[in-house]
């Protein structure tokens, strides 16, 4: 039991005052993680490294990769995988599950309202121009009814945990959230590499995601279609998330199509097969609104199918997610989410927002400019962690640039206090060290809502970094929701 | 279950063809190295260039057909679309397109195979190592074929895969025969003159047919009988006749099973080709000109590919641009 080296491995781990996903707060250790933590200690550093290398090789051989394109070459990279799992207690999961369900429910009600009666705008709860002037607002959707009022069928809510362990919503992703394939593949990887770590722990399974997704998609098929043909629409093999598209198509047992496989005739969508054209009823599309239909949106798009929007308007085909959902996951609208939840559900948000200053409002701008060195400033239109200025870590010059940008176009920015993100023990060359993590649970909604237990835990592998995006040095961990 | 996407049928057909092509090329390089170098030395590497009609493309980039240069050109040259590396890259790209359809094992094997090829260094192609490398490539291609046989769901995709493989095999066998025939018979008057038996020996081995031929013909070896064996023999899996029979059976079964109305043109071409193979004797073929006869077969093979392309894959017409890099004619 008392392996000297192993004991040292855990003893040297120091969360440096941050809330730790494995150890909780200093002086208040969390009990539920103890069996796993002790087993990790017993494995020892060499064994952990050996298994991590095997796992990495397996990811590469499986082709669980995203593609990075340079001018000359394309490189398949794996999303770095950390073998030490991130654990979630049953109680915390209860909070997350009800919290993200509440949030998605409110978002769907908001979208229906925005594209119909606009009561929330008339009542002045959300500024009219914030919605109607948003570049993701789609006037084409006005008055169109979608099955069960569900616009966001697949949602990814980015959560972080602060210094006290409180879960906060950092961002909503209601367009085409990605990453769920890693959740399932990470679990499979752990099952192969660490059966001894998982034995008798009682972890909620994640492998039925494809079936749950297919069920929800079948529910939104046009009325009268008994056995709907669901397809996944991908931009193609060169898309960096192609692996995930393959994964989802396989797990659902549906064809992965590209725009050139689809034809629209008389407002009905078909796919080209070896036997000619066959009808398509539901499209899980992994391409943006702009590219869906060159006749309705971006005329230069080669990724979609001409006439698709017409078929959609007539109700002959269902799209997941619906068109125009980007107006709800915008970083500026995010600031209003607590009020949106209260407006439609008459409830307090179960998962609070990170406190947010809206720079389009004079007060928000003034506060932001006065506390620039203490705040995180984010452009509202960017994703992937780009364009962010982290005040406490920025140079004088960077702060000055940020100030100029804010003054030139305040409406393009929000600011938030710097959240001391929680950490999780992570395997590095010399041992186990704390690294900051976030969590993206995936929420699937057709007639009703289902939440995949766990989600994608992203980890900022660079020491001290709080940017978890895969494009900027992030990796992932398996996420265990305990039973 | 819905019918197979046309694009998937296309990719399955070409994935099979490219793996088959790489396997044949590895065998040719191996045989050339092992059985032909003693008497002819470097000149024999020229014959490989002739086999694939690559003389011009090769000489654009190299001054001399040294053994090392030719080996590199055919194994690792990423700029040569017919190198083994390029063929497996294309096969892998098709497999990537097909990943929603094919087994994970098929994908992993091709992915690892390609990554290993990419990691090869020039010294892995050196003379002492080339035989081992060729074995690795052949075995990897055969592993692909075996995994596919054992794991590929038997839908229409499997039929297109089999047709691709049969067609490529037939094509490769005709190429082998055509170039050797020219080499060995420099002028019309030389038909029937004494020949270098080791060349025919190498030819049979390049088609993995040496032992089968020996069983059929325990004594003696004549150019005509070798050519006849590779063209017409019913039971040798790489003979043109056996490949075309298999292709015809698969196509006919596919059309019946899925009630497909397409494939008429390809079926007609297959029937015509089968007719010309079944009725023929090698003596008559040689008298009429083997090269012309083989040319005729190759034209029909292209017409079959074209017919499948137009009626099943949604390609425009003969010689049209491939829809993407993953599939090329």
């Amino acid at each position: 039991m008392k392996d000297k080296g192993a004991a040292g491995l855990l003893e040297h781990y120091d969360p440096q005052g941050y809330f730790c996903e494995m150890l909780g707060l200093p002086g208040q250790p969390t009990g539920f993680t103890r069996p796993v933590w002790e087993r990790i200690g017993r494995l020892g550093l060499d064994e952990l490294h050996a298994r991590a290398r095997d796992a990495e090789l397996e990811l590469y051989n499986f082709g669980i990769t995203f593609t990075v394109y340079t001018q000359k070459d394309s490189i398949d990279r794996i999303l770095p995988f950390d073998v030490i799992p991130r654990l979630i207690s049953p109680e915390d999961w209860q909070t997350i599950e009800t919290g993200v369900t509440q949030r998605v429910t409110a978002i769907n009600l908001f979208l229906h309202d925005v594209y119909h009666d606009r009561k929330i705008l008339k009542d002045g709860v959300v500024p009219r121009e914030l919605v109607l002037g948003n570049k993701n607002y789609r006037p084409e959707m006005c008055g169109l009814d979608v099955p069960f009022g569900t616009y966001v069928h697949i949602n990814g809510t980015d959560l972080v945990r602060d210094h006290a362990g409180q879960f906060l919503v950092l961002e909503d992703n209601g367009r085409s959230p990605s990453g769920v394939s890693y959740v399932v593949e990470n679990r499979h990887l752990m099952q192969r590499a660490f059966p001894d770590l998982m034995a008798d722990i009682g972890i909620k399974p994640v492998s039925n995601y494809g079936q749950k997704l297919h069920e929800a998609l079948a529910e939104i098929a046009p009325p009268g279609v008994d056995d709907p043909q669901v397809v996944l629409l991908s931009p193609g093999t060169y898309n960096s998330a192609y692996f995930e598209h393959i994964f989802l198509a396989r797990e659902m047992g549906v064809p992965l199509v590209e725009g050139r496989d689809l034809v629209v005739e008389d407002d009905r969508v078909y796919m080209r097969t070896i036997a000619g054209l066959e009808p398509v009823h539901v499209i899980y599309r992994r391409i943006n609104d702009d590219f869906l239909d060159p006749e309705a949106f971006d005329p230069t798009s080669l990724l979609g199918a001409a006439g698709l929007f017409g078929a959609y308007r007539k109700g002959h085909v269902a799209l997941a997610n619906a068109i125009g959902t980007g107006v709800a996951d915008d970083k500026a609208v995010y600031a209003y989410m607590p009020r949106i939840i209260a407006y439609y559900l008459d409830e307090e948000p179960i998962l609070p927002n990170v406190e947010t200053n809206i720079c389009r409002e004079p007060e928000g701008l003034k506060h932001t400019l006065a506390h620039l060195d203490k705040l995180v400033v984010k452009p509202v239109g960017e994703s992937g962690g780009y364009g962010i200025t982290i005040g406490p870590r920025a140079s004088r010059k960077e702060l000055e640039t940020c100030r100029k940008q804010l003054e030139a176009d305040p409406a393009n920015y929000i600011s938030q206090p710097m959240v001391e993100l929680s950490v999780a023990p992570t395997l590095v060359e010399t041992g186990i060290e704390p690294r900051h993590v976030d969590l993206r649970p995936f929420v699937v909604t057709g007639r009703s809502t289902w939440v995949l237990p766990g989600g994608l835990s992203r980890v900022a592998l660079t020491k001290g970094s709080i940017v978890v995006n895969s494009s900027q040095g992030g990796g992932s961990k398996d996420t265990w929701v305990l039973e | 279950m819905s019918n197979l996407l046309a694009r998937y049928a296309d990719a399955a057909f070409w994935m099979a063809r490219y793996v088959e092509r790489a396997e044949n090329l590895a065998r040719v390089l191996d045989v050339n190295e092992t059985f032909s170098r003693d008497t002819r030395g470097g000149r024999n590497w020229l014959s490989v260039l002739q086999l694939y009609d690559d003389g011009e493309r090769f000489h654009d980039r190299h001054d001399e057909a040294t053994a090392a240069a030719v080996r590199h050109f055919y194994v690792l040259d990423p700029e040569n679309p017919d190198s083994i590396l390029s063929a497996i890259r294309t096969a892998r790209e098709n497999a990537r397109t097909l990943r929603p359809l094919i087994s994970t094992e098929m994908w992993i094997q091709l992915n690892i195979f390609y990554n290993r090829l990419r990691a090869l260094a020039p010294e892995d192609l050196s003379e002492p190592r080339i035989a081992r490398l060729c074995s690795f490539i052949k075995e990897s291609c055969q592993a692909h074929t075996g995994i596919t046989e054992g794991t590929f769901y038997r839908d229409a995709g499997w039929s297109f895969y089999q047709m691709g493989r049969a067609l490529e095999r037939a094509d490769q066998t005709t190429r082998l025969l055509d170039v050797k025939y020219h080499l060995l018979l420099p002028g019309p008057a030389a038909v029937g003159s004494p020949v270098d038996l080791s060349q025919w020996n190498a030819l049979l081995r390049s088609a993995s047919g040496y032992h089968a031929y020996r069983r059929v013909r325990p004594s003696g070896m004549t150019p005509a009988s070798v050519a006849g064996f590779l063209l017409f023999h019913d039971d040798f899996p790489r003979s043109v006749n056996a490949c075309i029979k298999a292709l015809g059976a698969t196509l006919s079964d596919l059309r019946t099973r899925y009630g497909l109305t397409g494939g008429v043109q390809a079926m007609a071409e297959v029937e015509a080709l089968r007719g010309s193979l079944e009725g023929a004797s090698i003596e008559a073929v040689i008298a009429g000109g083997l090269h012309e006869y083989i040319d005729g077969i190759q034209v029909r093979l292209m017409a079959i590919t074209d017919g499948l392309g137009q009626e099943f894959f949604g390609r425009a017409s003969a010689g049209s641009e491939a829809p993407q890099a993953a599939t090329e004619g």
Side-chain angles (χ1 to χ4, degrees), chain B residues 268-282:
Chain B
E269 293 291 345
V270 171
E271 292 300 338
L273 184 49
R274 281 190 62 178
S276 83
L277 288 166
E278 271 166 14
S281 82
I282 189 63

Side-chain angles (χ1 to χ4, degrees), chain A residues 64-240:
Chain A
I64 302 178
T65 50
F66 61 96
T67 313
V68 180
Y69 291 98
T70 63
Q71 279 186 324
K72 198 173 169 296
D73 225 347
S74 67
I75 305 152
D76 285 339
R77 287 224 187 112
I78 58 169
L79 179 64
F81 175 67
D82 183 67
V83 296
I84 303 178
R86 186 257 188 91
L87 276 58
I88 297 177
S89 70
E91 300 74 36
D92 281 342
W93 180 246
Q94 170 75 21
T95 307
I96 294 170
E97 192 176 31
T98 52
V100 293
T101 301
Q102 176 195 52
R103 201 149 173 119
V104 169
T105 307
I107 286 174
N108 279 319
L109 290 167
F110 172 67
L111 285 165
H112 183 270
D113 189 16
V114 160
Y115 290 118
H116 290 81
D117 301 337
R118 298 181 181 165
K119 287 190 201 124
I120 198 165
L121 308 184
K122 287 172 189 157
D123 290 342
V125 177
V126 176
R128 176 173 285 266
E129 69 278 11
L130 196 62
V131 172
L132 305 184
N134 192 299
K135 69 175 171 11
N136 292 309
Y137 171 73
R138 298 281 167 203
E140 298 88 346
M141 287 297 289
C142 286
L144 191 70
D145 287 316
V146 297
F148 316 115
T150 302
Y151 288 78
V152 177
H153 308 88
I154 299 96
N155 185 67
T157 308
D158 287 348
L159 304 178
V160 294
R161 250 176 140 172
D162 65 13
H163 59 280
Q166 158 95 295
F167 282 99
L168 303 169
V169 178
L170 191 64
E171 192 174 302
D172 298 290
N173 294 281
R175 278 168 279 181
S176 257
S178 64
V180 73
S181 56
Y182 294 105
V183 176
V184 179
E185 292 294 349
N186 285 352
R187 178 65 52 81
H188 291 165
L189 204 59
M190 287 301 284
Q191 282 168 338
R192 281 189 293 268
F194 289 90
D196 43 354
L197 196 58
M198 308 177 96
D200 304 321
I201 296 292
I203 304 163
K204 286 195 185 241
V206 293
S207 58
N208 60 341
Y209 182 80
Q211 290 155 43
K212 288 288 189 181
L213 179 59
H214 190 267
E215 272 172 37
L217 293 175
E219 282 170 6
I220 63 166
V225 179
D226 287 340
D227 186 14
Q229 177 68 58
V230 177
V231 299
L232 186 140
L233 175 59
S234 165
T237 54
Y238 297 104
N239 186 267
S240 61

Side-chain angles (χ1 to χ4, degrees), chain A residues 60-63 67 76 229 237-238 242-243 246 249-250 255-258 260-261 271-275 278, chain B residues 2-9 92 96-97 99-100 102 104 107-108 111-112 115 118 156 260 312 324-325:
Chain A
Y60 191 60
N61 288 341
F62 265 54
T67 313
D76 285 339
Q229 177 68 58
T237 54
Y238 297 104
Y242 182 65
F243 167 73
I246 296 165
R250 290 178 70 102
L256 183 157
V257 303
E258 295 177 16
R260 57 196 160 122
D261 297 318
M271 58 181 177
R272 299 177 207 271
T273 78
I274 54 166
E278 291 193 359
Chain B
S2 59
N3 267 301
L4 186 69
L5 279 186
R7 189 165 53 84
Y8 286 178
R92 177 186 177 271
R96 204 160 132 79
T97 295
R99 263 207 78 179
I102 62 177
T104 302
W107 163 253
I108 290 174
N111 195 35
I112 294 177
N115 286 331
R118 272 208 308 187
L260 304 179
F312 290 127
Q324 66 175 59

Side-chain angles (χ1 to χ4, degrees), chain B residues 36-191:
Chain B
S36 306
R37 68 184 152 184
D38 44 1
T39 54
R40 309 256 170 156
R43 271 180 58 204
N44 279 315
W45 290 104
L46 280 176
S47 74
V48 182
L49 292 171
Q50 282 172 312
L51 174 64
Y52 295 100
D53 212 8
D54 283 335
E56 206 174 306
R57 281 197 306 128
F58 179 83
H59 287 294
D60 281 350
R61 320 244 310 277
H62 301 272
D63 293 335
E64 210 186 330
T66 62
V70 174
R71 283 195 299 253
H72 183 264
F73 183 74
Y74 279 115
V75 180
L76 286 189
D77 191 344
E79 309 284 317
N80 174 12
D82 295 325
S83 71
I84 288 171
L85 181 74
S86 298
I88 296 303
R89 182 181 60 221
T90 310
R92 177 186 177 271
E93 278 171 23
N94 279 308
R96 204 160 132 79
T97 295
L98 287 168
R99 263 207 78 179
L101 202 69
I102 62 177
S103 69
T104 302
E105 287 159 66
M106 280 173 71
W107 163 253
I108 290 174
Q109 191 265 342
L110 256 186
N111 195 35
I112 294 177
F113 181 21
Y114 176 63
N115 286 331
R116 281 203 187 149
L117 284 177
R118 272 208 308 187
L120 288 176
E123 51 269 28
D124 292 310
L125 273 63
S126 65
E127 212 161 13
R129 295 201 209 164
I130 187 76
R132 203 191 314 159
L133 178 62
C134 288
S135 296
F136 158 70
I137 293 166
K138 278 188 292 177
E139 281 171 19
S140 299
C141 292
Q142 288 161 344
H144 161 82
T145 311
I147 291 170
T148 304
E149 196 280 331
T151 63
F152 199 175
Y153 183 70
R154 296 305 198 254
D155 65 359
W158 167 245
S159 302
F160 284 100
Y161 177 88
Q162 283 181 297
M163 287 195 283
R165 197 175 63 193
L167 209 131
E168 185 67 27
R169 257 185 207 171
D171 186 56
Q172 292 291 329
T173 302
T174 60
R175 282 164 183 269
L176 277 175
L177 209 49
D178 199 22
V179 75
K180 288 293 180 194
Y181 197 78
H182 275 283
L183 270 187
L184 297 171
L185 305 168
V191 175

